Amino acid sequence: MFRRSILFCALWSTLAVPAAGQEAGQRRWLAGDHHVHSIYSAKYQPDPAHPDQPPPPIIGGDSAHSVLQNARMAKAHGLAWMVSTDHGGPRHADLNHARAWPDVVAARLAVPELTLFYGMEFDVPGGEHASLILPIGPQERDTLRDIERGYGKREAFPADPARNTKPRMIEALRYMNSLSAPPVVIGNHPSRTATGLGRWGQHSPQEYRAWQAAAPRVVIGMEGAPGHQAARPKPGLDIAHGSRGLYGGYPTMGGFDQMTATIGGGWDALLGQGLRWTITATSDSHGHWREGGADFWPGEYAKTWVFAAPDSSDILGGLRGGRVFVATGGLVDRLDVTVTSGDAHAMMGDTLAAKPGGEILVTIRFRPARAANAGGAVPKVDHVDLIAGAVTDSAVGDRNPSARVLRRFTARDWRREGADVVIEHRMPAPAGAGYLRVRGTNTQQGEPEADVPGEDPWQDLWFYGNPIYLTD
């Protein structure tokens, strides 16, 4: 009877997917979170009496939240989509296949308003973690098991050091790229192991460049803002576990990873090398701060907004296409950036051909908070920055010296149109290829400052738009 129920649910989950290819006119900003843990992020305790046997998973060992609870909280905090992403361990692929998958199917039935993707926090060979998101369809369950069995660095028992190398990650990505329905991969907490500003740990911008080169249909970007934003110092905790993002080597900056927050840094270096590289923001929810954890619920603090139809394939298409902005603390819930040259125009994720020296019009439209956020306040945007960078041979390694703030806008520079704020800026089109992107904050900081343990994350809010790409 149980097997028949699972078969029915799996069949329903496939048939219930909205038809792909809905009209672009149905697209709107949909908030989501691609990094959420459940009870199947297990812990493993070897049995000294049976060292030759794989340790049994301790269900709930790293998160006490069920998939269904996560889905319900995501909906309650305004999310339209979410990805269930548990990390692995010895033989974890079978645990995902046998137990996590049926819970995802059941949560889809129980919370149909939420588009719930199946995936995992992939244990990166030679590195830390990445969100792996499966397209919804008949193969998602088996596809994830095959990927985790073949390439998850902690999957093997006994442990296999050959699985934990950077070349092995390139093999994994090439395999994913070869699939008929390839997943999406997003690098998680990129600089969590960094030892200083620009002193990378397990991941560098150049490594991410190699990832995308190996799997251009799969690798789309990185977490611009990591989760664990509710972390606070406590007796017995080291500085990492008491700091936003659990970043102990070098802190987050305005809650964002240094690769994103530093102008001319890692993100700009990748963009300056011609990559289409998208940033996101997540909760990395394991344990809520009210329960003694370091996290917010999905959507409670950070949101990744995708311009898409309410359709699983179009949501993934929006991620792949860079139709994305991110915001913390409910600072804004809409951000439209367009660049117009003559009769041509482009939005975030698009490419615009503009004659060098000809005039282009940049229009920034955002909708500021109208109600109190989960921190109990209505945040207010202090200023917005328009940032430009060139695609150039000088953007090598970890820096792009061409990246700069073109213009800072305050309330004196914008106008109201109903609930929206509109900024218009005319400028000459740059010579050669480049990009434009936007960020804003409720602070008066010219540049995001390094976060200190114990600071209130609700007082330090930012939004970032992904780039519009320019060609001549």
Side-chain angles (χ1 to χ4, degrees):
M1 182 65 180
F2 178 75
R3 288 183 179 177
R4 287 199 299 271
S5 297
I6 295 302
L7 179 61
F8 169 78
C9 288
L11 178 61
W12 181 93
S13 73
T14 299
L15 297 178
V17 178
Q22 294 192 33
E23 293 298 323
Q26 295 181 350
R27 288 176 177 166
R28 55 186 182 270
W29 287 113
L30 301 176
D33 187 335
H34 65 76
H35 190 174
V36 182
H37 293 266
S38 80
I39 58 174
Y40 300 112
S41 287
K43 286 192 174 180
Y44 296 83
Q45 184 64 46
D47 183 353
H50 301 282
D52 58 332
Q53 298 180 10
I58 302 171
I59 303 301
D62 209 28
S63 174
H65 304 150
S66 68
V67 176
L68 179 57
Q69 184 181 18
N70 286 332
R72 285 174 170 162
M73 295 308 296
K75 177 189 171 186
H77 287 289
L79 297 192
W81 60 274
M82 190 194 90
V83 190
S84 189
T85 54
D86 291 305
H87 45 51
R91 312 284 174 87
H92 184 266
D94 293 335
L95 176 66
N96 256 344
H97 194 268
R99 298 186 60 178
W101 166 254
D103 281 12
V104 168
V105 171
R108 287 174 177 171
L109 284 167
V111 192
E113 304 87 351
L114 181 77
T115 299
L116 179 59
F117 292 94
Y118 180 53
M120 72 171 296
E121 184 171 35
F122 185 59
D123 295 298
V124 170
E128 271 214 301
H129 295 119
S131 289
L132 194 161
I133 312 170
L134 273 297
I136 294 178
Q139 299 301 317
E140 54 188 312
R141 183 187 196 186
D142 291 340
T143 296
L144 184 59
R145 181 176 61 178
D146 292 345
I147 293 171
E148 189 173 9
R149 275 183 175 175
Y151 301 99
K153 73 177 181 183
R154 297 196 296 153
E155 172 70 13
F157 183 87
D160 180 4
R163 296 175 70 102
N164 190 20
T165 67
K166 293 187 184 299
R168 183 70 173 173
M169 179 59 176
I170 298 301
E171 291 179 31
L173 292 171
R174 287 174 176 157
Y175 171 76
M176 296 180 211
N177 201 63
S178 72
L179 298 173
S180 59
V184 165
V185 167
I186 301 170
N188 290 346
H189 35 73
S191 305
R192 193 168 70 177
T193 57
T195 58
L197 184 62
R199 296 201 301 269
W200 312 118
Q202 294 193 53
H203 299 288
S204 69
Q206 287 302 91
E207 179 178 6
Y208 286 143
R209 179 180 175 86
W211 284 17
Q212 195 175 76
R217 297 200 302 159
V218 171
V219 178
I220 68 160
M222 65 189 179
E223 282 181 342
H228 305 309
Q229 294 281 338
R232 293 278 191 165
K234 296 177 184 177
L237 288 182
D238 59 23
I239 189 172
H241 288 86
S243 301
R244 291 172 74 175
L246 308 189
Y247 276 44
Y250 189 82
T252 53
M253 306 167 74
F256 281 72
D257 189 280
Q258 61 165 293
M259 285 196 195
T260 296
T262 305
I263 290 181
W267 187 23
D268 284 315
L270 292 167
L271 297 174
Q273 293 162 29
L275 272 70
R276 292 174 175 262
W277 195 255
T278 297
I279 65 159
T280 59
T282 71
S283 64
D284 198 354
S285 177
H286 288 70
H288 194 262
W289 65 270
R290 293 185 185 276
E291 304 166 349
D295 308 325
F296 294 106
W297 289 114
E300 183 181 2
Y301 182 75
K303 289 182 171 71
T304 295
W305 294 85
V306 179
F307 193 64
D311 170 326
S312 65
S313 63
D314 205 45
I315 292 169
L316 287 188
L319 286 169
R320 294 185 201 273
R323 303 192 302 268
V324 175
F325 78 89
V326 302
T328 56
L331 184 57
V332 298
D333 61 14
R334 174 182 176 181
L335 176 64
D336 296 301
V337 183
T338 58
V339 180
T340 303
S341 175
D343 295 330
H345 68 277
M347 65 173 289
M348 285 182 284
D350 291 341
T351 299
L352 179 72
K355 183 179 179 180
E359 185 178 74
I360 60 176
L361 172 64
V362 181
T363 304
I364 303 166
R365 178 184 294 268
F366 66 90
R367 186 163 54 200
R370 294 156 291 167
N373 57 26
V378 181
K380 182 179 179 181
V381 175
D382 180 82
H383 63 268
V384 176
D385 291 335
L386 175 63
I387 299 166
V391 176
T392 170
D393 291 340
S394 66
V396 296
D398 302 337
R399 300 287 303 169
N400 183 354
S402 73
R404 65 204 184 281
V405 175
L406 277 182
R407 176 82 184 270
R408 177 158 293 156
F409 305 97
T410 66
R412 298 188 303 272
D413 306 304
W414 58 59
R415 69 177 187 270
R416 286 275 186 170
E417 289 188 2
D420 294 344
V421 170
V422 179
I423 301 167
E424 291 184 335
H425 178 67
R426 296 183 183 276
M427 56 180 281
Y435 58 90
L436 297 171
R437 60 181 181 87
V438 167
R439 71 178 180 190
T441 180
N442 70 328
T443 74
Q444 294 183 349
Q445 297 171 18
E447 295 298 324
E449 297 174 3
D451 299 323
V452 298
E455 72 172 72
D456 182 357
W458 296 101
Q459 301 300 314
D460 189 15
L461 307 178
W462 293 78
F463 66 82
Y464 284 75
N466 276 285
I468 293 173
Y469 304 91
L470 304 175
T471 62
D472 53 18

